[in-house]
Each structure stands twice: as structure tokens, then as C-alpha cells.
Amino acid sequence: MSSVLVTSALERPTADTATPQPSRPYLHQVNLFRILTFACVIGVHVIDRSADPNSVSANGVMVLLHFPREAFFTLTGFVLIYQYADRSFAARRFWRRRFALVGIPYVLWSVFYWGYSIVAGIHQETAAQSVRRLALELVTGEAWYQLYFLLVSMQIYLLFPLLLRLVRRTAGYHKWLLGGSAIVQLGMVWALSHPPALTGIPQQLWDHLYVTVLPYQFYVLFGAVAAWHIGSVDRVVRRFGPLVLLGTVVAGLGAELWYQRSVAGGATPWQADNVFNPYMAGYFIALIAGLYTLSTWWSWLRPRYRAVPVISRYGADRSFAVFLIHPIMLELLMPLSPRLNSGLGAGWGTAMLFVAVLASTLAVVEVVRHAPGSIWLTGRARIEGPTALGRWVRSLPLSGRPAADRAREHGPSLAEPDRA
């Protein structure tokens, strides 16, 4: 990173009235990174809900798929620093926009899943207790199991001005910064995988440590430093991409062997695949590097194959909504799991449940993305025009309207451009 970039970047946020500066080129590789990571989120949740918690094979698969939270927070640090590394930064304007686009969906979906838990009879409680539970869940991100991710994301947004200043001021010493962060990270995950004997409020605070940014601080910083040195990162991908992927495979095999060793040593499968086990950290870093490499290779195909940008835009646009909505679809489809497992076997039954959850979620997401208020539910502006199914129905020659009139009703497939 050039010294011009470091010295020209403002140390303090500018006023909200600062002159806008041009954005840096869009990083198309982040699209596939998001898509694959969200797909693995669904995979983890499907296996977790449908498989025997003591299944060695099911938990062994989860070892390889348990990276999404680390990948997401790495990507968050990466994208934010990439956007603002050499631009003036207005903290208040940044917070207003980010908290609106993430905070409002967080509250709305927390209330939705809280309401579902009441209808489903998950909790036996009075009305007053239910309201108190909602208040607590809004603070802890536990209205449903995926929502803590939004809470951690908002903590990263809150701290981003400090992160930006830290990355700027330590330019030239980033390897030492990452080294210190890695030591803290290893201490953190060791403590989380070997919890102390606590009771009362200290125990409750410890149990909710995972909904804070602390257990993920290295990954946020890892992504931030990678974005600061984006030129060097891309050169490594171009020159050593196959070796990076080979390292990812080796790290995955190592994690799997460590998992099997832990199970053989007496640990239960669900304990051995704990995402905070220290041995998982090396695999996560290698996997994130491999996933970025694979996504970069995919982005290079854009000029040659029209399907590549179409798939990338579609997946990136829907990914956040898929993340928010897939748990309720999984709950509704869970009665199918015993039949699928008995008819197809546990492995194929879980795979078919995954396909069903993904397909049904995408169908619901398509409706939500075209609905009024989409921006408050998904963080993205509404897609104008009918859905794909609606366009097909309107194209049928049933209404007697001229084809030209029907064609004018077809809206664009996406309402807003991709953003890194």
C-alpha cells in the first residue's frame, strides 16, 4: 500500500457535509464468497436440526461447514476497509446508514421469530414473561439462533471508526498487529472451549460472550488488513492460487483428523466439532483464503460467460434475506425429515431436506424482495416489477392485452447495483 494512501487518509471523520468521493472498483469476487458462505450456513442448520447430535459422521461434516461466522466477519472487515481506506469518513453518516439497513431488519425479524415461538408453544410462559423475554432477546440476539450475527455486525459498525484509525496508523506494522491479535484470539477460543466454573450473573455473561465481537476480533482485523493490502492479496491469488486451495484441503483434512482423534479420545461428537475449539482456527483461516481464491477465479469468468454475473448478482442480492428467512422454512419442513431419512437414509435425506429448505426459502425471498417494505426486511430496496412467476403468468395470452402492453410491465431483475 502506497505511502500516498496512508498519508492522505484522514485521521478523523469529516463532517457530514464533506464532498463525496468516488467509490473504488467493485470487487465481484465477494459475491460468490457470500453465496457459498450462506449456503454453508443453511447446511449447518439443516444438519444440526435433522441429524443425531451424537452422530460421528454428521458432526464430521459440520466440522468442514462450521466456518460461516468467521468468514462473514472477515468479509465485513474486508469490505468496510476496502470502501473507506483512501476515502474521507463521516462516522455519523456511516452509522445512520448501516444501523438502519441492519438494525431495523434485526428488530423486525426478532419480533417475528419471537411471535413464532409463542404460536409454536416453544415456551410455557405468561404474557408478561413473554414480553420480558423479547426484551432480553433483542439485547442478546437470541430471538432465533441466527440473529446474533446481526448483533455482532452492528458492534463491528459501532467500532469501525476505531478500526479504520487503527489500520491506518499501524500501516507498515500490520504483521505485528495481526500477530498480537492472533495470540489474543487463541487465548479467547481456548477459554471458550474450556469454560470456567461460574454461577449466577457471571455465568450468564460468559454464556453470552459469543454474541459479542470479542471472539471474532481476529477475523475482523484479518479481513481489514487484507483489504488494506488488496493489491498484494490479488497478486498472491494470481501466482499461487492452486497452492492456496491445496493448503485449504490440507487444513480441512487436518481439522477432520483432529476431530476424529478427539472423538476417539472420549469427547462427544458435538463437543469435538465446537466452533471455538482452538484447532479449528487454522482451518478457518485456510478456508477463508481458499474461498476468496475460488471466488476470484469465478469472477474472472464474467467476461466469457453471461451466466456468471447473473448468478453472482442474483445470489448476492438475495443472500441476506435467505439468511434471515431460511430458519422458519427449516422449521416448517422439519416434519419431512424422518420420512426422508427412513426412505433415503440419513445422508441423502439430509441432502434432500437441504434442497427443499433452499428452494422454498428462495421462493419466499423472491416475494419479499418484490414487496413494499423490502428495505426494512432485507436491507435492500424493493425490486420493482413482478416476480419471475408473475412475469411468466402475465406473458400468457389470457387477458387479451397486446404483447407490447404486457412487456412494459416487466420490471428490471435488480433494483440496485452491487456494492462491495
Side-chain angles (χ1 to χ4, degrees):
M1 187 62 62
S2 68
S3 60
V4 175
L5 172 63
V6 176
T7 57
S8 64
L10 298 181
E11 293 292 341
R12 296 180 180 178
T14 61
D16 288 355
T17 57
T19 302
Q21 294 173 290
S23 300
R24 303 175 74 179
Y26 183 77
L27 297 178
H28 294 279
Q29 56 265 43
V30 303
N31 289 343
L32 186 66
F33 193 102
R34 286 191 181 110
I35 293 169
L36 294 179
T37 306
F38 277 115
C40 289
V41 169
I42 299 176
V44 167
H45 292 161
V46 168
I47 295 173
D48 184 61
R49 291 285 286 114
S50 64
D52 180 356
N54 291 312
S55 169
V56 175
S57 58
N59 283 278
V61 174
M62 288 183 65
V63 166
L64 302 178
L65 299 181
H66 239 160
F67 67 91
R69 70 181 78 180
E70 288 76 15
F72 281 139
F73 299 136
T74 299
L75 184 63
T76 300
F78 180 86
V79 168
L80 291 177
I81 290 296
Y82 178 78
Q83 287 179 331
Y84 293 102
D86 55 357
R87 297 172 59 191
S88 59
F89 177 74
R92 286 177 294 176
R93 183 168 54 195
F94 171 84
W95 286 330
R96 280 200 302 267
R97 183 175 182 276
R98 293 284 174 168
F99 285 133
L101 294 181
V102 175
I104 294 176
Y106 169 73
V107 172
L108 292 179
W109 286 105
S110 293
V111 172
F112 171 83
Y113 282 105
W114 167 77
Y116 171 76
S117 71
I118 295 175
V119 173
I122 296 176
H123 302 278
Q124 303 300 319
E125 57 192 0
T126 65
Q129 291 171 332
S130 180
V131 172
R132 285 197 295 270
R133 176 169 61 85
L134 173 61
L136 179 62
E137 289 173 345
L138 286 172
V139 173
T140 62
E142 293 182 320
W144 212 253
Y145 49 75
Q146 89 283 22
L147 292 174
Y148 77 93
F149 165 73
L150 277 68
L151 190 63
V152 176
S153 297
M154 287 188 285
Q155 294 171 49
I156 296 173
Y157 298 153
L158 181 64
L159 297 173
F160 179 66
L162 297 178
L163 174 64
L164 179 60
R165 183 172 297 184
L166 174 65
V167 173
R168 286 173 172 173
R169 289 190 172 182
T170 57
Y173 302 94
H174 285 160
K175 62 182 179 181
W176 300 107
L177 180 65
L178 282 180
S181 176
I183 293 173
V184 173
Q185 185 70 28
L186 288 175
M188 178 67 67
V189 295
W190 188 90
L192 286 170
S193 59
H194 300 79
L198 301 172
T199 58
I201 294 180
Q203 178 65 48
Q204 295 180 26
L205 293 175
W206 183 268
D207 290 343
H208 289 91
L209 194 61
Y210 79 98
V211 304
T212 72
V213 73
L214 295 176
Y216 318 107
Q217 53 83 26
F218 171 80
Y219 299 99
V220 178
L221 198 56
F222 179 53
V225 170
W228 187 269
H229 300 279
I230 184 66
S232 299
V233 170
D234 286 344
R235 284 193 295 272
V236 169
V237 170
R238 289 183 180 275
R239 294 183 59 185
F240 305 108
L243 291 178
V244 173
L245 287 182
L246 178 61
T248 301
V249 173
V250 171
L253 290 174
E256 198 64 40
L257 288 174
W258 198 291
Y259 161 76
Q260 296 291 344
R261 178 176 175 271
S262 298
V263 173
T268 62
W270 57 269
Q271 289 174 325
D273 83 337
N274 186 339
V275 69
F276 292 120
N277 281 328
Y279 76 87
M280 296 287 281
Y283 167 63
F284 291 152
I285 296 170
L287 191 282
I288 291 167
L291 191 58
Y292 182 85
T293 299
L294 187 64
S295 300
T296 300
W297 288 357
W298 168 265
S299 71
W300 292 345
L301 300 176
R302 294 179 66 256
R304 297 177 57 188
Y305 302 100
R306 294 180 60 186
V308 171
V310 172
I311 293 172
S312 297
R313 286 196 302 268
Y314 177 88
D317 178 88
R318 272 74 170 177
S319 58
F320 185 48
V322 167
F323 175 80
L324 293 168
I325 294 173
H326 82 270
I328 187 62
M329 304 311 300
L330 176 57
E331 290 298 310
L332 297 177
L333 291 173
M334 271 304 297
L336 295 177
S337 181
R339 298 180 184 178
L340 291 173
N341 290 344
S342 61
L344 301 174
W348 284 108
T350 301
M352 289 302 299
L353 181 61
F354 169 84
V355 172
V357 171
L358 179 59
S360 58
T361 300
L362 287 173
V364 175
V365 166
E366 195 66 18
V367 174
V368 173
R369 288 292 291 113
H370 285 79
S374 172
I375 192 169
W376 308 125
L377 293 172
T378 69
R380 285 183 176 266
R382 175 191 182 189
I383 299 175
E384 299 296 335
T387 64
L389 178 61
R391 290 196 298 271
W392 178 76
V393 170
R394 294 189 181 197
S395 69
L396 298 177
L398 300 176
S399 61
R401 293 176 297 166
D405 290 345
R406 295 195 300 270
R408 279 195 292 269
E409 295 183 4
H410 293 181
S413 59
L414 293 176
E416 58 182 357
D418 285 326
R419 292 190 294 269

